[in-house]
Amino acid sequence: MTDAIHSPLPQKAIVTISDADLGSGLTALRWRLRGLVNEGACLVVIDVSDIGEMSSTLLAALLDTHRVCRRRGGGVVIRHASRKMTDVLRRTGLDRVFDVEAA
């Protein structure tokens, strides 16, 4: 007889970020992401179709989220990235950290 370990499916959270979110500062977004992770999300999908560019502070917030999710076997997916965002992620090597889905 063998014991099988059954784990629940990873919880997935989808977050859409807009320029308005970024204009009001990233503190609220950081708390939002932290709350999702604290609630058990281990796969966070970030829809960036409504923003023009990714700042270094946004990338830092996404990396923080990714670190926690990665420890749980998940990660962060950046969805609908523009060509400009995809180029920035590729030049910085972050395309190997995040799963990037182009627009």
Side-chain angles (χ1 to χ4, degrees):
M1 175 186 249
T2 59
D3 292 333
I5 299 173
H6 298 284
S7 62
L9 293 174
Q11 185 175 355
K12 178 179 175 179
I14 300 174
V15 178
T16 301
I17 301 174
S18 68
D19 281 328
D21 295 326
L22 302 179
S24 62
L26 287 173
T27 304
L29 177 62
R30 281 183 180 269
W31 281 107
R32 184 175 168 196
L33 293 173
R34 188 170 293 149
L36 290 170
V37 171
N38 287 341
E39 290 173 6
C42 59
L43 178 63
V44 179
V45 178
I46 308 291
D47 185 334
V48 295
S49 58
D50 292 338
I51 62 172
E53 60 185 47
M54 297 181 89
S55 67
S56 58
T57 51
L58 173 58
L59 287 172
L62 298 180
L63 282 168
D64 288 342
T65 303
H66 177 76
R67 281 186 203 106
V68 175
C69 290
R70 192 72 182 150
R71 279 186 239 132
R72 297 179 182 170
V76 171
V77 176
I78 299 176
R79 182 174 285 167
H80 300 134
S82 68
R83 182 175 178 91
K84 183 178 178 181
M85 286 182 211
T86 304
D87 288 343
V88 168
L89 292 169
R90 188 174 22 252
R91 282 195 314 267
T92 59
L94 291 173
D95 63 329
R96 293 185 302 255
V97 174
F98 302 116
D99 289 327
V100 180
E101 299 174 359

